[in-house]
Amino acid sequence: MKTDKLTIIPPGRPLSGRVSPPGSKSITNRALLLAGLAKGTSRLTGALKSDDTRYMADALRAMGVTVDEPDATTFVVTANGELKPPAAPLFLGNAGTATRFLTAALALGKGRYVVDGDEHMRKRPIRPLVEALQSLGVSIEAPTGCPPVTIDATGAFARNKVVIDAGLSSQYVSALLMAAACAAEPFEIELAGADIGARGYIDLTLSAMRAFGAAVTQPTPASWRIAPTGYTATDFHIEPDASAATYLWGAEVVTGGSIDIGTPSGDFTQPDARAHEVIAAFPRMPAVIDGSQMQDAIPTIAVLAAFNETPVRFVGIANLRVKECDRIRALSTGLNNIRGGLAEEQGDDLIVHSDPALAGQSLPADIDTFADHRIAMSFALAGLKIRDITILDPGCVAKTYPGYWDALASLGVQFSQG
């Protein structure tokens, strides 16, 4: 949306209708990479077309992969299994999946690759993945511990086992898993500790890998063995985005409406789908919510918690501090802009001091999104019940859900711009 700010006008009625969420960002970027590493032509249907996936597609194109887009939800990827060194650094915006996944995959390329991003990506940690690749004999440097990353690849790993600290992000494990199938010999990945961010995303990775011909076993809950199969081109369908669905589930419950998103919550394979059970409990959501395995859904639930009957403490969310922005700080800042004392941070926990009486009030607040799509989309839910909630930089939703404001409008929500 081409405006600096967007003020939501509460509809004053239940929102009802049908909205189809876009394809899963997480699955789309996994499938794009795997198709780019495969030999032959793959057709990816139901895909998300957004900033994050376009960065991945453009990076593949820069490395000699043909990526066609015959329609709004399809990528056709033709590759020979080789990612050639690009003529310039790969710019990946603030796409964490593209940055982490490509960093590992390019370690098995041949030549120099530079993986970079915008000012926000340059603050997001990648050191654990870099150190894991260095332990495999890869010449790779990230002086700040964040992008840019420079890789001088020789086409092989010097060893066939790696230990990775995945406490900050499961994406490090997913990146190594996808790369490992292209190694020259059977490969083993082991966690350095029991902590892993959003383990369910590992399952998404394994499912996508197997669809493209990989063979992976899991000897223990903290280790994986990957056969050196490489990847085979295939046709692959991508399910709707569960993280995007949380905003629609939230809009439904906070207005008492009925929104059909076309996919039952139980049909999603993405971790954030487990948020449906918590959201469905509104306005009697639990007093303590563990966000460790549904991290991207926490902004949605935290904003809903402002209207819950009782206070909510969010735990297991330390990783939210290293997402597109410090989401714990962004949530507490936004909620306290609506009304002082509405939220507080205790260490890495977030406490929302719920008050159902907020609904119907006029509480003018400019919500700083910190260029984070999830902060913009979640705080829109507050605007459905409170007058004069203004979202700054509403266009940042293009990162994963370019049609978000249109989706709300299709349900009857109105806005004032400027």
Side-chain angles (χ1 to χ4, degrees):
M1 182 165 286
K2 302 296 185 181
T3 181
D4 292 335
K5 55 185 180 179
L6 198 68
T7 301
I8 296 141
I9 301 172
R13 61 171 178 79
L15 294 182
S16 298
R18 180 176 178 122
V19 174
S20 297
S24 165
K25 180 261 293 188
S26 300
I27 300 176
T28 299
N29 265 355
R30 284 163 171 79
L32 278 169
L33 175 60
L34 297 176
L37 294 172
K39 294 180 179 179
T41 298
S42 301
R43 188 177 184 87
L44 313 180
T45 55
L48 171 67
K49 302 291 183 73
S50 74
D51 289 350
D52 274 20
T53 61
R54 288 195 177 93
Y55 284 129
M56 176 67 94
D58 286 345
L60 293 174
R61 292 182 179 114
M63 294 184 288
V65 177
T66 300
V67 183
D68 295 321
E69 302 184 41
D71 59 51
T73 60
T74 302
F75 288 105
V76 178
V77 182
T78 303
N80 62 5
E82 177 186 358
L83 298 179
K84 299 176 182 178
L90 298 172
F91 180 78
L92 298 169
N94 196 13
T97 51
T99 300
R100 277 82 176 255
F101 297 168
L102 281 169
T103 294
L106 299 179
L108 285 173
K110 292 182 179 179
R112 170 163 283 199
Y113 306 82
V114 178
V115 177
D116 201 0
D118 63 17
E119 60 181 316
H120 305 288
M121 178 53 68
R122 287 186 168 196
K123 298 175 184 176
R124 299 180 67 181
I126 201 168
R127 188 184 304 279
L129 179 58
V130 169
E131 290 178 346
L133 291 167
Q134 287 172 338
S135 77
L136 294 170
V138 178
S139 176
I140 177 171
E141 299 293 338
T144 67
C146 303
V149 182
T150 301
I151 308 156
D152 288 300
T154 61
F157 292 145
R159 284 170 282 282
N160 66 349
K161 180 178 179 178
V162 68
V163 178
I164 178 75
D165 181 348
L168 278 177
S169 178
S170 66
Q171 290 177 7
Y172 305 147
V173 178
S174 287
L176 290 166
L177 281 166
M178 288 188 284
C182 298
E185 57 184 333
F187 194 88
E188 184 173 348
I189 298 171
E190 182 179 315
L191 294 181
D195 290 341
I196 182 170
R199 183 179 284 269
Y201 284 102
I202 302 296
D203 296 332
L204 289 187
T205 300
L206 296 175
S207 179
M209 289 173 63
R210 288 169 177 143
F212 282 84
V216 187
T217 58
Q218 191 166 2
T220 73
S223 66
W224 296 264
R225 288 179 183 159
I226 307 97
T229 56
Y231 293 108
T232 302
T234 190
D235 291 345
F236 186 83
H237 183 71
I238 294 154
E239 69 183 49
D241 194 282
S243 305
T246 67
Y247 311 115
L248 301 171
W249 293 332
E252 178 181 61
V253 300
V254 81
T255 66
S258 178
I259 300 173
D260 178 7
I261 66 169
T263 303
S265 60
D267 286 359
F268 288 93
T269 63
Q270 300 155 72
D272 278 357
R274 68 185 63 194
H276 182 268
E277 182 178 355
V278 176
I279 293 171
F282 179 87
R284 291 174 287 279
M285 297 191 296
V288 178
I289 294 175
D290 183 347
S292 61
Q293 300 304 313
M294 52 178 182
Q295 296 172 13
D296 285 346
I298 293 306
T300 306
I301 303 171
V303 173
L304 289 178
F307 305 96
N308 203 49
E309 290 181 356
T310 53
V312 179
R313 176 186 286 268
F314 294 88
V315 302
I317 60 171
N319 288 9
L320 267 64
R321 293 207 183 273
V322 292
K323 295 287 189 177
E324 281 81 342
C325 72
D326 178 344
R327 287 181 177 161
I328 298 174
R329 180 59 46 81
L331 286 166
S332 65
T333 299
L335 289 167
N336 288 323
N337 279 351
I338 293 173
R339 192 186 70 188
L342 187 54
E344 66 174 300
E345 300 173 47
Q346 289 188 1
D348 288 326
D349 290 359
L350 175 69
I351 301 165
V352 181
H353 297 289
S354 311
D355 183 2
L358 292 169
Q361 295 190 43
S362 174
L363 298 169
D366 286 348
I367 303 299
D368 188 341
T369 61
F370 299 93
D372 189 326
H373 56 134
R374 303 216 181 278
I375 299 302
M377 290 187 279
S378 58
F379 273 99
L381 302 179
L384 299 178
K385 301 298 289 184
I386 298 172
R387 294 191 299 279
D388 301 314
I389 299 295
T390 299
I391 308 298
L392 305 182
D393 188 19
C396 68
V397 301
K399 187 174 193 295
T400 55
Y401 197 164
Y404 180 66
W405 304 115
D406 290 338
L408 290 183
S410 76
L411 295 168
V413 179
Q414 295 182 325
F415 315 93
S416 62
Q417 300 183 26

